[in-house]
């Protein structure tokens, strides 16, 4: 790449430090035109990976700052890179960027530094996407998943599948050239090899649902009859009065969503309207929304009365959601608990007693046992779709391998290889690459 790019690498706004970076063949030359230090006669003689204290001259003013030079290929982009650490004033760092542009640098596009790192072989495409996954992470589990992706673990697994596909492809093509010597052996081993590839893809795809939970959290709908304490439970979980609580049945008319972080995972609680037969038009809409929230949830918290037997209406409501994990929560334990109400968690939303057990139950039964932060989890929708497409091609290739011509199987194998390559970057089109890096911020 001929042009040397420059951009502000820290968020826009006033701060203690502002970082401006250069990348390209002329980085050191451009930096030496504006930066001076008592340690060197000329910054062009800078020692790589050594930080220098000096002065940057922006014509209208000067600033004391730090500068460091990273020599290609041992830099983030794989090119010569210079970074300045200046005082973090908004106008100040803008003027530093302007003086670099005036001395020959070109303003970087979004994600152009990381894009150059990818094009120079420093990262695979999935690793580069791991960087933005970490930047955009809002909880610890998402950070761990992003780091695993950045470290290349996912890329290595996809490369392994790619290589297995290439091995089968090469064997089939060789059998077409030498049918008498190779065809029988190759065709005999084909079903086992294809099944192995399909299983590897399935293992990765099985993590996609968990990937959604890692990024967005687990959705928990709180449902039950009116005045059972649903809103009080939400307030107790949050530790603040977020939902309106009264003695009037039907106070909650709409859904209310709030989230808490537990064991590194977001738990998204959805407080819903009390479910009952009603002639009130507005309340009926709330009841319908409550049932829809329950249908869309990952887990249902069913609120019941600790000192009363379960009613026919409550049993009917439980029967509506037998396909969902349900945690029975018996509220108002401060008023007593019936011996028969022992198949759930007894709490007092009013006093907060045992509310913590609900969070523990969700994490123990749904999160902790399924999400291993040391393993690979597919959190990227693009990766999921590419794996689904690959699985379909391999599945087609597996159909009746005994009678299907090798030429037809090869078509599916080559298609599957092209799909997987969009994850690693080996076969990704320029449009895909540009779209991915356009999601990065300036300076990254």
């Amino acid at each position: 790449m001929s042009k040397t790019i420059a951009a502000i690498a820290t968020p826009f706004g006033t701060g203690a430090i502002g970082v401006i970076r250069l990348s390209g063949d002329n980085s050191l030359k451009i930096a030496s035109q504006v930066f001076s230090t008592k340690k060197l006669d000329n910054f062009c003689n800078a020692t790589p990976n050594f930080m220098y204290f000096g002065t940057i001259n922006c014509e209208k003013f000067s600033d004391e700052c730090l500068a460091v030079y990273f020599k290609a290929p041992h830099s983030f982009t794989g090119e010569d890179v210079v970074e300045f650490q200046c005082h973090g004033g908004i106008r100040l760092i803008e003027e530093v960027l302007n003086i670099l542009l005036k001395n020959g640098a070109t303003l970087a596009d979004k994600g152009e530094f990381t894009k150059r790192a990818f094009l120079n072989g420093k990262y695979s495409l999935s690793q580069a996407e791991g960087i933005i996954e970490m930047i955009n992470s809002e909880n610890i589990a998402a950070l761990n998943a992003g780091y695993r992706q950045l470290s290349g673990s996912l890329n290595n697994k996809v490369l392994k599948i790619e290589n297995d596909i290439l091995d089968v492809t090469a064997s089939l093509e060789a059998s077409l050239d030498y049918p008498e010597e190779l065809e029988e052996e190759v065709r005999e081993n084909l079903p086992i090899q294809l099944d192995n590839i399909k299983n590897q893809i399935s293992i990765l795809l099985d993590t996609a649902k968990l990937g959604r939970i890692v990024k967005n959290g687990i959705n928990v709908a709180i449902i039950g009859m009116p005045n059972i304490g649903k809103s009080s439970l939400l307030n107790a979980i949050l530790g603040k009065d977020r939902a309106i609580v009264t003695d009037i049945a039907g106070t909650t008319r709409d859904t209310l969503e709030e989230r808490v972080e537990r064991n590194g995972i977001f738990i998204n609680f959805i407080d819903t309207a009390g479910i009952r037969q009603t002639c009130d038009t507005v309340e009926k809409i709330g009841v319908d929304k409550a049932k829809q929230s329950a249908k869309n949830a990952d887990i249902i918290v069913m609120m019941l009365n600790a000192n009363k037997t379960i009613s026919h209406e409550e049993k009917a409501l439980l029967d509506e959601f037998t396909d969902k994990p349900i945690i029975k929560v018996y509220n108002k334990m401060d008023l007593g608990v019936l011996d028969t109400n022992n198949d759930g968690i007894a709490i007092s939303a009013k006093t907060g007693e045992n509310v913590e057990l609900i969070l523990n139950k969700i994490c123990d039964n749904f999160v902790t046992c399924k999400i291993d932060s040391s393993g690979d989890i597919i959190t990227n929708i693009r990766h999921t779709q590419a794996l689904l497409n690959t699985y379909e091609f391999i599945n087609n290739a597996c159909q009746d391998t005994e009678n299907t011509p090798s030429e037809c199987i090869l078509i599916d194998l080559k298609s599957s290889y092209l799909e997987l390559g969009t994850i690693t970057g080996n076969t990704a089109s320029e449009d895909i690459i540009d779209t991915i890096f356009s999601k990065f911020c300036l300076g990254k």
Side-chain angles (χ1 to χ4, degrees):
M1 270 155 240
S2 56
K3 67 177 182 178
T4 296
I5 56 173
I8 298 168
T10 42
F12 185 78
T14 302
I17 297 173
V19 176
I20 303 94
R21 55 172 31 162
L22 286 160
S23 181
D25 295 340
N26 293 324
S27 294
L28 203 54
K29 177 183 175 183
I30 293 171
S32 67
Q33 291 169 355
V34 299
F35 179 77
S36 60
T37 174
K38 293 180 180 179
K39 294 285 186 180
L40 300 169
D41 293 332
N42 190 307
F43 192 64
C44 281
N45 300 319
T47 302
N49 308 320
F50 187 88
M51 190 165 277
Y52 293 89
F53 174 76
T55 302
I56 190 163
N57 183 357
C58 298
E59 294 182 350
K60 299 175 185 177
F61 72 96
S62 295
D63 182 32
E64 291 184 336
C65 69
L66 298 170
V68 60
Y69 164 54
F70 302 98
K71 183 177 176 61
H74 306 294
S75 70
F76 175 71
T77 63
E79 305 172 335
D80 279 354
V81 170
V82 175
E83 290 190 359
F84 296 102
Q85 294 186 13
C86 305
H87 293 102
I90 298 173
R91 183 64 186 276
L92 190 155
I93 57 177
E94 285 181 341
E95 289 299 325
V96 172
L97 176 61
N98 288 336
I99 199 65
L100 297 176
L101 299 178
K102 188 174 181 180
N103 280 272
T106 301
L107 184 64
D109 292 329
K110 284 185 175 182
E112 189 168 0
F113 290 91
T114 312
K115 183 178 180 180
R116 290 190 175 198
F118 162 67
L119 294 175
N120 289 325
K122 302 293 289 187
Y123 296 101
S124 69
L125 195 56
S126 64
Q127 284 179 287
E129 288 175 287
I131 295 172
I132 196 169
E133 293 279 357
M134 291 192 71
I135 291 172
N136 293 334
S137 295
E138 296 182 339
N139 58 55
I140 297 299
L143 272 174
N144 282 328
Y147 177 73
R148 292 283 298 177
Q149 193 171 320
L150 171 61
S151 68
S153 179
L154 172 63
N155 185 70
N156 291 337
K157 288 185 177 181
V158 176
L159 282 175
K160 166 69 167 56
I161 300 172
E162 279 187 347
N163 289 332
D164 287 349
I165 291 172
L166 284 177
D167 287 344
V168 177
T169 302
S171 297
L172 269 180
E173 289 181 334
S175 71
L176 291 175
D177 293 332
Y178 304 99
E180 293 182 0
E181 295 88 346
L182 298 173
E183 186 173 21
E184 183 177 348
E185 180 183 350
V186 169
R187 300 289 296 209
E188 183 179 343
N189 294 329
L190 191 57
I192 297 173
Q193 291 174 307
L194 292 177
D195 279 340
N196 176 53
I197 293 170
K198 193 165 71 169
N199 288 337
Q200 291 180 68
I201 299 169
S202 292
I203 290 170
L204 287 177
L205 279 172
D206 285 343
T207 70
K209 182 179 179 181
L210 297 180
R212 176 189 63 79
I213 292 172
V214 163
K215 290 186 75 171
N216 304 319
I218 177 170
N219 297 322
V220 180
I222 306 173
I223 66 170
M225 299 293 114
N227 259 16
I228 197 65
K230 298 182 296 300
S231 296
S232 296
L233 174 61
L234 180 65
N235 289 341
I237 289 170
L238 298 176
K240 61 181 181 181
D241 291 336
R242 177 66 179 87
I244 297 173
V245 176
T246 73
D247 293 331
I248 304 170
T251 299
T252 302
R253 297 295 187 95
D254 203 350
T255 56
L256 179 63
E257 298 185 26
E258 287 288 342
R259 64 168 38 173
V260 295
E261 186 174 348
R262 188 80 169 186
N263 294 351
I265 295 289
F266 283 135
I267 303 178
N268 306 313
F269 285 98
I270 307 155
D271 180 25
T272 66
I275 299 174
R276 65 175 177 176
Q277 294 294 326
T278 178
C279 296
D280 186 302
T281 302
V282 177
E283 187 179 358
K284 188 176 186 302
I285 293 172
V287 170
D288 290 340
K289 291 184 72 173
K291 290 188 176 183
Q292 190 60 48
S293 294
K295 288 178 182 177
N296 295 334
D298 298 303
I299 291 181
I300 293 173
V301 167
M302 178 68 180
M303 296 285 288
L304 302 162
N305 198 320
N307 51 73
K308 292 182 180 180
T309 57
I310 296 178
S311 67
H312 294 298
E313 291 83 359
E314 289 170 329
K315 287 180 180 178
L317 186 57
L318 285 168
D319 290 340
E320 283 190 46
F321 303 107
T322 53
D323 60 329
K324 297 279 184 180
I326 297 177
I327 300 174
K328 291 182 181 178
V329 174
Y330 293 94
N331 190 28
K332 306 179 183 181
M333 66 177 293
D334 47 305
L335 301 178
V337 182
L338 293 182
D339 291 338
T340 52
N341 293 339
N342 58 4
D343 57 345
I345 301 172
I347 70 158
S348 172
K350 182 179 180 180
T351 65
E353 187 176 356
N354 285 352
V355 167
E356 194 80 0
L357 297 180
I358 300 172
L359 299 174
N360 293 340
K361 181 75 170 178
I362 293 170
C363 291
D364 292 344
N365 289 358
F366 195 88
V367 179
T368 306
C369 64
K370 294 185 179 181
I371 296 178
D372 177 8
S373 61
S374 65
D376 293 300
I377 298 172
I378 304 298
T379 59
N380 190 305
I381 294 175
R382 192 182 72 81
H383 296 170
T384 301
Q385 191 57 54
L387 286 167
L388 284 170
N389 293 341
T390 303
Y391 185 90
E392 185 176 346
F393 285 125
I394 295 298
N395 195 48
N396 288 339
C398 288
Q399 304 301 315
D400 195 16
T401 53
E402 186 175 341
N403 299 311
T404 304
S406 296
E407 291 85 351
C408 295
I409 297 174
L410 282 168
I411 291 173
D412 285 320
L413 286 172
K414 290 175 180 178
S415 296
S416 65
Y417 179 81
L418 290 174
E419 279 292 338
L420 278 185
T422 64
I423 298 176
T424 60
N426 291 338
T427 63
S429 68
E430 189 172 340
D431 287 342
I432 290 176
I433 293 169
D434 288 343
T435 298
I436 289 170
F437 289 107
S438 68
K439 297 176 183 177
F440 283 64
C441 53
L442 284 170
K444 190 58 186 172

